[in-house]
Amino acid sequence: MNIRGLGVVFSHGRGPAALRETLAAGWRAPREWVTRHRPSPLPAYALRPDELAEQGCLKTLRRADRFSRMAALAAWDAVQDAGPAYTASRDRTAVVIATAFGPHVTTFRFLNDILDFGDTGVSPTSFSHSVHNAAAGYVGKLLELHGPTVTLTQFAFPFHYALLLAQAWIESGLCDAALVGAVDELGDVMGYICGHRLRIPADGRIRPLDFAAEPTAVPGEGAAFFLLDRAPTSSPYGALESVSFASPPTSGSAPDLCIVEADGLNGDEGPYRVARQLGAPLAGYAPLYGSLLSGSGLSLACAAVSLRAGAIFGADPPPAGPGAPQRILSLRSDCSGRTAWLSLARSAAATQ
Amino acid sequence: MNTPTRSVALVGVGVVSAAGRGVAATLAGFRAGTRSPAPVSLFPCAISCPVFEVPGVPTEPGINARTFAMAMIAVKESLAEANLTPETLASRRVGVCLGTTVACQLNALEFYATLRATNEAPLDAVDSYLKGNLADAIGRRLSVTGPCVTVANACSSSADAIGVALSWLRLGLCDIAIAGGADELNRIPLTGFHSLSVMSPEPCRPFDRDRQGLNLGEGAGVIVLETDASAAARGFRSSLRLSGYGAAGDAYHMTAPRPDGAGLESAIRAAMMDAGIATADVAFVSAHGTATRDNDKTEATTLARVFGPSLRFLSTKGFTGHALGAAGGMAAVFTALGLREGWLPANAGFQTLDPEIGIAPLSAVTPIAGAHGLATALAFGGSNAALVISRADARVAPGRPPA
């Protein structure tokens, strides 16, 4: 599947250009994140509020919560980014969204209503926005997409399953294109949970290539959306070759880079050592956007931006030659040591 | 026999709802026409609208445990019907795709109230939630290692979960897929739906002129799907198949269906195309039929437009209440049972034709002789889904060719 367009919203900006600038600039310290239920701030890769302002979408998104807004803006950007390369009918474009926690901030806002006003005093708007698929509803409405619309949730590999589903639907003819995204948000309750359950480093730095048994994590949030199709023209972002579990993809050329998605959320990061066996340079980009269970979306965005830029950023060791990367793998491991792989390759006729 | 090559065998069903625990009890309840909605007793709540509770659910401690327990009841029944033992499951690639709404949310009111008041709260509920992703939890309990994901698509969750499982089998990701969904009665959706003014103060009356809204329910509906090769290898012959899935988005409103039903019609037509059948081939429709003014008007007028005025259709919400994320899975089970048993229950609660709808659902237990049944689901966010379930001896045209 070709990646026709890309949209990202993360702590350092919005859009593929901002992501490329962040990849080139390297690590920057996270923000001080003040949360209601902690006496002191936490370091976190939280979005700036101004990242979620968009004049072109204001009417449709006027009631949208932060979660839906992140998703809708990233999806909007992916379609804008594709421009005329997006040739599929909007009636035959699917929306598949992956999330670990859904719009939990709105869920707790709704619980506030029950606690403050009783069972009969709650807000219908908060309720309708507290369901996981509210974001998909906004994406569909904003972009007038009428294809199948599904939200998947899981704590291990939700984005991988979203990509697999999009692939199946496109190959079976249920749709011609799919907007596939991953989104998760930070909030006060999540801050409390993170403060108690994560090893958050004092310097605010995630170390994905340490393969630590007790790794450190820095909470993050954001959204990454991809407009995918099977049209017979190449894309500068490359094509998603495969989604595989347990073992790395066996077909294709040797990778030029393997992205290690270790971000400190899943405990022992020893299983990521398998990436070393590929012999390719390794890079871990979670330090740029933070730890989030749906972070595979942002990782794939980094791979796509790298292919488009014809450059590898922040690899260890640095690539041997100046050539543009042709194939990039991305590896994620869950708390049980299970692994999942994404393989992205440059399209044959792709140009920068 | 000429079965569609893209369909898969439907080898087992399992169900639990207020209509009955298990297939036999459900069918008996359907035939007798009994239903017993009452104010909620599972938790304190100031809302007195009737709901459909499932009695006697054995629940372990933990958040969303009731959803898990009902899902396991349905999963066990479906696996037993499919003659799938733990040993057989261990020898196959088995996927789990389940839909839910309540069980994917951190609806931990007690935890949150404590945290809000004191800035301290034990994290037991959070830990339970993190271990309780429905599909993952079922997969762990069964010790299966195939693809596993939870669909959170509001009220179409489990219909879409069945569609996702169908795609896995077609892609070759697994040999067997356990699909459907579960949801428990919970204070959060109860207060939420009440705030939307869509809950009926009396037992619900789907498609009736005087319907006043929905009753919430709970339960689980699960089907087991298997590739022909896998079923043949263990010598299992099924009388049913899942032959089509279609879905479409309204792109219209967060809670209301698109009035012209265009999204639902697209989903229905996509499912029939996927199954390789025409409207005349559909013997009946197990409709979403929540008994809200908007849903029933949109859905029934769309069904009439697509299938014509003589369509046989019904909603089972009058027996089960609206079980949210479980509704589509339960509708799939009831569709399968209708084809297998050769009869359909009455649309409980219906008395008077709604002139705005123009067609009436089944008003009595009705024999059915057709080969294909269709189940529909509509959801918040504008999602629409449709499933085609067929008798294995049905003659059909090939489905949509691979792209």
Side-chain angles (χ1 to χ4, degrees):
Chain A
M1 291 184 294
N2 294 303
I3 298 177
R4 290 289 164 211
L6 172 63
V8 292
V9 181
F10 67 117
S11 60
H12 294 317
R14 178 177 157 196
L19 186 59
R20 177 177 172 166
E21 288 170 12
T22 300
L23 283 165
W27 182 78
R28 279 179 280 173
R31 299 196 170 87
E32 292 285 292
W33 178 36
V34 178
T35 67
R36 186 185 303 268
H37 307 298
R38 287 185 53 82
S40 57
L42 284 173
Y45 289 94
L47 267 66
R48 296 193 309 264
D50 61 325
E51 298 294 355
L52 299 177
E54 167 60 57
Q55 291 300 319
C57 311
L58 277 181
K59 184 179 179 187
T60 302
L61 298 182
R62 66 191 186 280
R63 288 183 174 175
D65 64 10
R66 200 157 164 276
F67 180 84
S68 289
R69 197 170 278 253
M70 281 197 289
L73 291 181
W76 167 273
D77 287 350
V79 169
Q80 301 306 311
D81 186 46
Y86 175 29
T87 57
S89 160
R90 296 196 181 213
D91 285 347
R92 292 185 49 78
T93 299
V95 178
V96 187
I97 294 184
T99 180
F101 294 105
H104 53 84
V105 173
T106 301
T107 297
F108 292 116
R109 186 176 301 134
F110 187 75
L111 298 190
N112 277 335
D113 281 0
I114 293 178
L115 294 171
D116 292 335
F117 308 117
D119 293 328
T120 57
V122 299
S123 158
T125 303
S126 290
F127 174 64
S128 63
H129 286 68
S130 71
V131 294
H132 276 45
N133 69 325
Y138 272 110
V139 170
K141 188 177 178 190
L142 180 66
L143 293 163
E144 298 181 356
L145 305 179
H146 297 280
T149 304
V150 166
T151 299
L152 305 179
T153 184
Q154 205 212 33
F155 298 123
F157 309 113
F159 182 63
H160 297 75
Y161 283 112
L163 290 170
L164 274 176
L165 183 60
Q167 178 190 354
W169 281 354
I170 291 174
E171 288 186 359
S172 71
L174 189 59
C175 62
D176 296 328
L179 253 177
V180 181
V183 56
D184 267 304
E185 67 174 345
L186 293 172
D188 288 330
V189 178
M190 200 55 69
Y192 178 80
I193 296 168
C194 289
H196 281 75
R197 284 288 185 260
L198 300 181
R199 295 183 71 243
I200 299 175
D203 65 359
R205 192 158 193 157
I206 302 168
R207 292 175 168 78
L209 301 186
D210 280 2
F211 307 109
E214 295 184 345
T216 54
V218 179
E221 65 178 349
F225 273 71
F226 304 81
L227 181 63
L228 304 173
D229 69 15
R230 292 190 71 201
T233 53
S234 63
S235 163
Y237 292 119
L240 184 70
E241 284 187 320
S242 66
V243 181
S244 57
F245 296 91
S247 53
T250 53
S251 61
S253 59
D256 299 297
L257 175 71
C258 181
I259 299 173
V260 174
E261 295 186 35
D263 62 5
L265 289 180
N266 286 319
D268 183 8
E269 293 182 340
Y272 284 102
R273 290 181 195 279
V274 68
R276 289 225 180 276
Q277 297 171 11
L278 299 170
L282 305 183
Y285 298 131
L288 304 180
Y289 50 75
S291 308
L292 63 166
L293 288 173
S294 58
S296 295
L298 286 163
S299 176
L300 183 65
C302 290
V305 165
S306 298
L307 281 187
R308 179 168 192 141
I312 290 176
F313 302 96
D316 176 27
Q326 301 297 312
R327 188 160 179 257
I328 298 176
L329 302 186
S330 189
L331 166 64
R332 188 164 192 88
S333 175
D334 73 355
C335 59
S336 302
R338 297 177 299 179
T339 55
W341 301 79
L342 300 176
S343 176
L344 188 68
R346 176 173 290 272
S347 304
T351 55
Q352 190 172 339
Chain B
M1 187 172 71
N2 179 19
T3 53
T5 55
R6 287 163 47 73
S7 71
V8 298
L10 196 167
V11 296
V13 301
V15 68
V16 57
S17 74
R21 180 169 172 165
V23 167
T26 300
L27 290 173
F30 280 176
R31 194 174 276 284
T34 52
R35 57 180 189 150
S36 52
V40 66
S41 69
L42 290 168
F43 45 84
C45 187
I47 296 164
S48 59
C49 294
V51 299
F52 286 82
E53 293 182 355
V54 177
V57 177
T59 305
E60 300 167 11
I63 186 173
N64 300 327
R66 187 173 174 85
T67 301
F68 176 80
M70 291 189 291
M72 274 308 297
I73 290 170
V75 167
K76 284 180 178 176
E77 182 180 34
S78 64
L79 292 174
E81 186 173 275
N83 196 24
L84 285 166
T85 63
E87 293 73 25
T88 311
L89 291 178
S91 69
R92 300 289 201 283
R93 298 173 301 158
V94 180
V96 181
C97 191
L98 296 172
T100 189
T101 58
V102 173
C104 64
Q105 293 183 310
L106 188 46
N107 286 329
L109 189 58
E110 189 176 342
F111 156 78
Y112 182 63
T114 305
L115 180 64
R116 200 178 80 145
T118 67
N119 285 333
E120 285 288 342
L123 288 171
D124 301 359
V126 176
D127 293 337
S128 169
Y129 169 73
L130 292 172
K131 292 175 185 168
N133 179 279
L134 185 61
D136 272 344
I138 296 292
R140 280 197 308 274
R141 181 63 63 92
L142 299 176
S143 300
V144 298
T145 56
C148 191
V149 78
T150 297
V151 176
N153 233 29
C155 302
S156 67
S157 294
S158 50
D160 289 310
I162 291 169
V164 172
L166 178 63
S167 77
W168 289 350
L169 291 162
R170 286 172 171 172
L171 265 184
L173 294 178
C174 53
D175 309 306
I176 294 169
I178 298 164
D183 247 330
E184 68 189 67
L185 274 167
N186 182 287
R187 190 173 170 187
I188 281 70
L190 186 59
T191 56
F193 277 100
H194 184 266
S195 74
L196 289 165
S197 302
V198 294
M199 290 184 65
S200 173
E202 62 174 23
C204 66
R205 305 168 71 175
F207 300 114
D208 188 90
R209 181 193 64 189
D210 301 320
R211 64 191 182 278
Q212 296 188 59
L214 59 81
N215 302 146
L216 285 182
E218 61 179 352
V222 171
I223 64 176
V224 182
L225 305 171
E226 188 168 12
T227 62
D228 289 335
S230 176
R234 64 187 183 92
F236 190 90
R237 289 177 63 87
S238 171
S239 63
L240 296 170
R241 301 183 71 80
L242 174 65
S243 45
Y245 164 72
D250 279 347
Y252 173 71
H253 192 272
M254 293 307 292
T255 58
R258 189 182 178 97
D260 64 5
L264 176 62
E265 180 173 349
S266 294
I268 291 170
R269 293 195 183 282
M272 291 192 298
M273 184 176 174
D274 197 32
I277 63 172
T279 53
D281 298 321
V282 174
F284 67 92
V285 173
S286 183
H288 195 55
T290 59
T292 65
R293 301 297 313 179
D294 286 350
N295 178 91
D296 287 11
K297 182 181 176 186
T298 296
E299 186 174 21
T301 52
T302 301
L303 292 176
R305 184 170 70 246
V306 174
F307 294 101
S310 59
L311 173 70
R312 291 175 168 181
F313 73 104
L314 79 159
S315 164
T316 52
K317 301 291 191 290
F319 291 107
T320 65
H322 186 6
L324 304 180
M330 289 161 63
V333 170
F334 299 150
T335 303
L337 293 177
L339 289 168
R340 194 166 74 187
E341 301 296 322
W343 61 271
L344 296 171
N347 184 108
F350 175 81
Q351 291 180 329
T352 308
L353 179 67
D354 183 345
E356 288 190 322
I357 289 176
I359 59 173
L362 298 177
S363 56
V365 171
T366 304
I368 285 290
H372 306 279
L374 186 135
T376 55
L378 293 77
F380 274 14
S383 294
N384 303 276
L387 298 164
V388 175
I389 295 173
S390 308
R391 292 176 56 91
D393 57 3
R395 299 187 67 82
V396 297
R400 179 192 297 117

